[in-house]
Amino acid sequence: MSPRYALFLALVSLSFFAYRNVSAARCHPDDKAGLLAFKSDITEDPSGMLSDWKADTDCCQWKALFCGLTNRVQSIRLGGQPDNPKRYLSGTFSPLLSNLVQLDQIILSNNRFSGPIPDSLRRLNELYDLDLSGNRFSGEIPNFWDSFPKLLYLRLSNNEFIGGIPTSIASLAPKLMYLELGNNRLSGKIPEFISNFKALDTLDLSSNLFSGVLPKSFKNLTKIFNLNLARNNLVDPFPDLAVKGIESLDLSYNKFKLGKIPKWVTSSTIIYSLKLAGCGIKMRLDDWKPMRTYYYDFIDLSDNEITGSAIKLVNSTEELAGFWASGNQLKFNLSDLKMPESLKYLDLSRNQVFGSVPHSIVGLEKLNLSYNSLCGKIPTSKFPAEAFAGNACLCGSPLPACRIQ
Ligand SMILES: *[C@@H]1O[C@H](CO)[C@@H](O)[C@H](O)[C@H]1NC(C)=O
Ligand SMILES: *[C@@H]1O[C@H](CO)[C@@H](O)[C@H](O)[C@H]1NC(C)=O
Ligand SMILES: *[C@@H]1O[C@H](CO)[C@@H](O)[C@H](O)[C@H]1NC(C)=O
Ligand SMILES: *[C@@H]1O[C@H](CO)[C@@H](O)[C@H](O)[C@H]1NC(C)=O
């Protein structure tokens, strides 16, 4: 680019931004009033996320907001950062935020909001993305979902909601892609209408108090990629899903007695996370022949009745980061387990694993080999005695020194 042309471009863009600042992007008074009311219900903002929200400035220039062409606020993105202890907001969710009638995105995740979701939110018919996950919202989830014909992402996980899944959620069926209600105190049965969600990609109902059987029609969720129903009180039968391929599945710690790893899991060629802990699986691990193990990152088969060896399975993966198989009857020589370099977490506690502890454990982040039949000197590592307790004849730090024979 010639220097002259570059200067010309710089001048053009400068004047464009100057023009934008003066005459474009003027905040609508209803939006400003709603935002200032929202701010006045915030009791803590230690990192100053809202410090430039001031009555005498243009709200379209405030941080965390986006104004559309009509100069109405369309998006509010105020997610906290769980790893930054100062970046959060606390307070209640002002009902006056519903002044911002053109909002299509509200992200308030990972803050400390408490109290209910205001009923006035039903005015925001343009919403496609509502993320209130990771707060302290409580009460029942409002039953106003027929007001949101465009909603694609609904994330309410990690709060303190009680009651059932409201019936009006059914009206989101044609479009909704993400339904995340995990880690609340929701109860009741999983409603039949869930199977109408033809576009659903991700369903997270984990760590709640859901009970009873899953509706038979659950198998109509053919597009589902991520399914997490772990830690509820669901019972058999688990329907055979007709999914094209599942990417991540967690059914751990319900009251299922699956017997085997389901066929639709074994045949998935894109699965990366499989968690079936405490699912009543009773099989030889050597007999499991997953169609493709290449993408596996996480496998959790803890607390089942699995026998045989994990050597072939672990050896067939290339990216495995976590393998948990605590509380089974696995019986193999640990010296022969070839750990992929990607492996970070290994839990084989409470099995019948024998042989000695290989040097390759040194690179792991977490390890538990307690209550097996291991023997010999432990390689020097950072793991505590608890990781090696209850074995036949392990010795050396962190356990008592080996006796010289
Ligand atoms: C599930 O799909 C079958 C056909 O594939 C259909 O007959 C049935 O009505 C569907 N059920 C629901 C609840 O959508
Ligand atoms: C592990 O895999 C390698 C090649 O991928 C193969 O040569 C080796 O025999 C396997 N070992 C076991 C114990 O299955
Ligand atoms: C290791 O496993 C044992 C038995 O499963 C369990 O009691 C213990 O809490 C585990 N320790 C760690 C550090 O995970
Ligand atoms: C475990 O395997 C190692 C190496 O293959 C072998 O030297 C050792 O004897 C085996 N231990 C047992 C108890 O079979």
Side-chain angles (χ1 to χ4, degrees), residues 153-211:
Y153 307 98
L154 177 57
R155 296 186 162 113
L156 303 177
S157 294
N158 302 316
N159 280 290
E160 294 165 19
F161 292 116
I162 54 166
I165 299 181
T167 51
S168 61
I169 284 207
S171 59
L172 302 173
K175 292 211 170 124
L176 197 71
M177 294 170 66
Y178 286 73
L179 180 58
E180 301 180 7
L181 306 177
N183 202 17
N184 281 289
R185 269 177 270 135
L186 300 170
S187 55
K189 286 183 121 187
I190 295 186
E192 182 84 31
F193 64 69
I194 285 284
S195 53
N196 298 337
F197 284 75
K198 295 288 191 283
L200 208 59
D201 172 296
T202 294
L203 177 64
D204 179 4
L205 303 176
S206 62
S207 299
N208 279 292
L209 303 163
F210 292 115
S211 57

Side-chain angles (χ1 to χ4, degrees), residues 86-103:
K86 283 191 144 179
R87 192 172 162 90
Y88 70 89
L89 299 172
S90 60
T92 53
F93 189 154
S94 169
L96 293 176
L97 197 71
S98 61
N99 269 9
L100 288 77
V101 290
Q102 289 195 18
L103 269 183

Side-chain angles (χ1 to χ4, degrees), residues 2-16:
S2 81
R4 255 164 33 123
Y5 186 61
L7 182 66
F8 167 76
L9 276 186
L11 284 174
V12 166
S13 48
L14 255 181
S15 53
F16 173 77

Side-chain angles (χ1 to χ4, degrees), residues 326-327 347 349-350 367-371 384 386-387:
S326 157
D347 186 349
S349 63
R350 291 183 288 121
L367 174 71
N368 198 338
L369 297 174
S370 62
Y371 303 97
E386 199 192 3

Side-chain angles (χ1 to χ4, degrees), residues 100-372:
L100 288 77
V101 290
Q102 289 195 18
L103 269 183
D104 61 19
Q105 182 181 46
I106 301 178
I107 298 179
L108 300 180
S109 52
N110 301 312
N111 286 296
R112 299 185 191 171
F113 282 93
S114 53
I117 302 181
D119 193 61
S120 60
L121 216 65
R122 67 167 76 238
R123 290 180 63 201
L124 303 181
N125 313 124
E126 296 294 318
L127 279 183
Y128 78 89
D129 185 4
L130 179 62
D131 185 354
L132 305 181
S133 60
N135 281 287
R136 296 166 186 177
F137 285 113
S138 57
E140 297 202 357
I141 297 176
N143 193 11
F144 59 17
W145 302 98
D146 42 358
S147 306
F148 307 102
K150 300 181 179 173
L151 204 63
L152 302 179
Y153 307 98
L154 177 57
R155 296 186 162 113
L156 303 177
S157 294
N158 302 316
N159 280 290
E160 294 165 19
F161 292 116
I162 54 166
I165 299 181
T167 51
S168 61
I169 284 207
S171 59
L172 302 173
K175 292 211 170 124
L176 197 71
M177 294 170 66
Y178 286 73
L179 180 58
E180 301 180 7
L181 306 177
N183 202 17
N184 281 289
R185 269 177 270 135
L186 300 170
S187 55
K189 286 183 121 187
I190 295 186
E192 182 84 31
F193 64 69
I194 285 284
S195 53
N196 298 337
F197 284 75
K198 295 288 191 283
L200 208 59
D201 172 296
T202 294
L203 177 64
D204 179 4
L205 303 176
S206 62
S207 299
N208 279 292
L209 303 163
F210 292 115
S211 57
V213 290
L214 286 166
K216 272 209 196 77
S217 58
F218 209 73
K219 63 169 175 287
N220 287 22
L221 292 175
T222 54
K223 291 233 178 79
I224 197 120
F225 286 116
N226 305 292
L227 177 61
N228 190 350
L229 302 175
R231 297 179 167 80
N232 281 288
N233 296 313
L234 300 167
V235 299
D236 287 328
F238 191 89
D240 259 332
L241 297 201
V243 285
K244 304 247 159 48
I246 190 110
E247 285 182 348
S248 81
L249 176 71
D250 194 347
L251 303 179
S252 302
Y253 300 116
N254 279 282
K255 293 179 177 164
F256 295 131
K257 294 262 174 287
L258 298 183
K260 287 189 175 152
I261 297 176
K263 274 203 224 68
W264 51 272
V265 174
T266 303
S267 64
S268 176
T269 55
I270 54 174
I271 188 161
Y272 71 87
S273 179
L274 175 63
K275 298 187 176 179
L276 296 173
C279 279
I281 296 170
K282 217 171 170 169
M283 66 187 290
R284 262 179 72 82
L285 197 51
D286 316 68
D287 294 341
W288 186 45
K289 304 218 157 51
M291 198 123 113
R292 194 162 179 189
T293 46
Y294 182 78
Y295 293 113
Y296 270 110
D297 287 336
F298 304 108
I299 299 177
D300 185 352
L301 297 171
S302 306
D303 298 311
N304 284 293
E305 292 173 52
I306 298 173
T307 59
S309 164
I311 291 177
K312 201 183 67 184
L313 174 62
V314 171
N315 192 32
S316 69
T317 63
E318 299 201 19
E319 302 292 334
L320 197 64
F323 184 68
W324 298 269
S326 157
N328 282 288
Q329 293 140 35
L330 291 171
K331 199 169 188 173
F332 62 91
N333 185 337
L334 190 64
S335 319
D336 296 336
L337 182 74
K338 202 182 108 215
M339 297 184 205
E341 270 178 41
S342 51
L343 199 67
K344 289 188 193 142
Y345 315 109
L346 179 64
D347 186 349
L348 295 170
S349 63
R350 291 183 288 121
N351 279 284
Q352 294 151 31
V353 178
F354 58 91
S356 57
V357 179
H359 183 75
S360 48
I361 59 146
V362 168
L364 300 174
E365 281 176 25
K366 283 194 179 160
L367 174 71
N368 198 338
L369 297 174
S370 62
Y371 303 97
N372 279 290

